[in-house]
Amino acid sequence: MNKQKNNHIGSSWESIQETIYIPQETEDSQLSVFLINDIIDARKREGITQRQLESMSGVRQPIISRMERGNTDPKLSTVLKILGSFGKTLQIVPMQEMEK
């Protein structure tokens, strides 16, 4: 079998990102992943199910599931409800502080 490299498709996700996304889109995506991972970690650390988080936050379990899988871009109000269930909130900080 003759294997040919397709130069149009990168060898890694990072190279594909560089090709199809502008830097701001990549930064936004990374921030979303960080935020959702923090929510997942908090839920698991507390030992609660998505259904229990639904009861705590008022956000329906299917929405929590889609959010955790990365299948939806949740509204800010949804994220705040979920974070509030863990005694957390969002904070606006200068970008330079995030890089530290």
Side-chain angles (χ1 to χ4, degrees):
M1 180 179 270
N2 185 7
K3 291 186 178 181
Q4 293 181 346
K5 183 175 180 183
N6 184 339
N7 291 328
H8 297 288
I9 299 175
S11 58
S12 69
W13 173 242
E14 289 78 17
S15 65
I16 293 171
Q17 276 184 314
E18 291 172 4
T19 304
I20 60 176
Y21 296 116
I22 63 171
Q24 184 62 43
E25 289 173 318
T26 300
E27 289 175 23
D28 291 348
S29 174
Q30 290 169 342
L31 182 58
S32 293
V33 168
F34 176 78
L35 178 60
I36 299 304
N37 281 340
D38 190 59
I39 289 171
I40 293 168
D41 290 345
R43 184 176 66 76
K44 290 182 177 180
R45 211 174 19 258
E46 296 289 327
I48 61 173
T49 65
Q50 290 178 350
R51 190 67 67 193
Q52 289 169 316
L53 183 55
E54 174 185 46
S55 296
M56 295 167 59
S57 66
V59 176
R60 294 183 49 237
Q61 182 274 330
I63 294 171
I64 294 168
S65 177
R66 285 193 301 270
M67 186 179 72
E68 288 188 1
R69 287 191 323 260
N71 294 345
T72 188
D73 190 9
K75 294 180 359 180
L76 180 59
S77 59
T78 300
V79 171
L80 291 173
K81 286 177 187 178
I82 292 172
L83 288 174
S85 299
F86 297 113
K88 296 182 174 200
T89 191
L90 293 178
Q91 181 178 4
I92 298 171
V93 297
M95 296 296 264
Q96 296 82 8
E97 287 185 29
M98 290 178 51
E99 295 169 2
K100 292 180 182 178

